[in-house]
Amino acid sequence: MSTAGAPQGGAQDHEWLARAIELATANVADGGGPFGALIVRDGHVVAEGQNRVTRDLDPTAHAEVVAIRAACHAEGSFSLAGAVLYTSCEPCPLCLSAALWSRVDRVVFAADRHDAARGGFDDLEFYELFARDRDTWELPVDAVRPADASAPFDAWLAKESRTDY
């Protein structure tokens, strides 16, 4: 990820993190999880997100993902290059992957995976899982390769009007 145009550190980071923490704390009061996030571009908030896992019955509705989805919708683009993701807690692997896919320039977080674990969240466990050999996982992840496994990618590559990402 590029850091061009993304200021490193400073008072601005503290201000945006304060807003992420405020969103997370307010979400707890509203019955949600203790996570808040925002996307900032050029000193302005593009979108905010709060954890909506239990409210929406959606295990992917983490604050960072909610903020990324809203920011992409607001900007009319699947790329958030040039923007910064501020979040109240270190992104879990799902949210870190979403940040990478969205192409944000930088991720800034307050609490870390150990704070999340103390609160009863699996972030630390998932980081540890991904560090282990896949054969040791409780969840089997098996490759089954039919003869036409690559057909969707062949179709993708053959489509001249595709939008690369």
Side-chain angles (χ1 to χ4, degrees):
M1 283 188 283
S2 165
T3 57
Q8 303 289 316
Q12 285 266 253
D13 283 353
H14 288 278
E15 290 174 31
W16 297 127
L17 286 174
R19 177 63 183 149
I21 292 167
E22 180 182 309
L23 287 166
T25 304
N27 202 45
V28 171
D30 291 339
F35 303 97
L38 52 146
I39 304 291
V40 175
R41 179 187 300 284
D42 299 325
H44 300 283
V45 174
V46 176
E48 298 180 335
Q50 294 170 299
N51 182 283
R52 297 294 190 215
V53 170
T54 56
R55 186 196 81 176
D56 294 353
L57 304 177
D58 179 354
T60 68
H62 292 201
E64 297 90 339
V65 174
V66 171
I68 288 168
R69 288 174 180 160
C72 288
H73 182 75
E75 294 198 341
S77 175
F78 55 80
S79 174
L80 296 175
V84 179
L85 168 61
Y86 287 93
T87 180
S88 62
C89 187
E90 180 179 8
C92 72
L94 168 76
C95 296
L96 185 56
S97 295
L100 290 165
W101 277 112
S102 72
R103 311 293 198 265
V104 294
D105 281 8
R106 187 167 167 242
V107 176
V108 183
F109 63 89
D112 64 20
R113 63 183 78 171
H114 302 283
D115 295 308
R118 186 176 62 80
F121 294 89
D122 294 339
D123 304 44
L124 180 60
E125 185 178 317
F126 291 153
Y127 273 105
E128 290 172 353
L129 173 73
F130 291 133
R132 296 192 332 243
D133 186 272
R134 193 180 288 179
D135 292 337
T136 68
W137 294 11
E138 289 182 28
L139 172 67
V141 179
D142 301 319
V144 177
R145 189 165 178 89
D148 62 347
S150 64
F153 296 103
D154 296 338
W156 172 257
L157 292 170
K159 184 176 182 175
E160 289 184 26
S161 64
R162 71 181 179 267
T163 301
D164 289 327
Y165 62 100

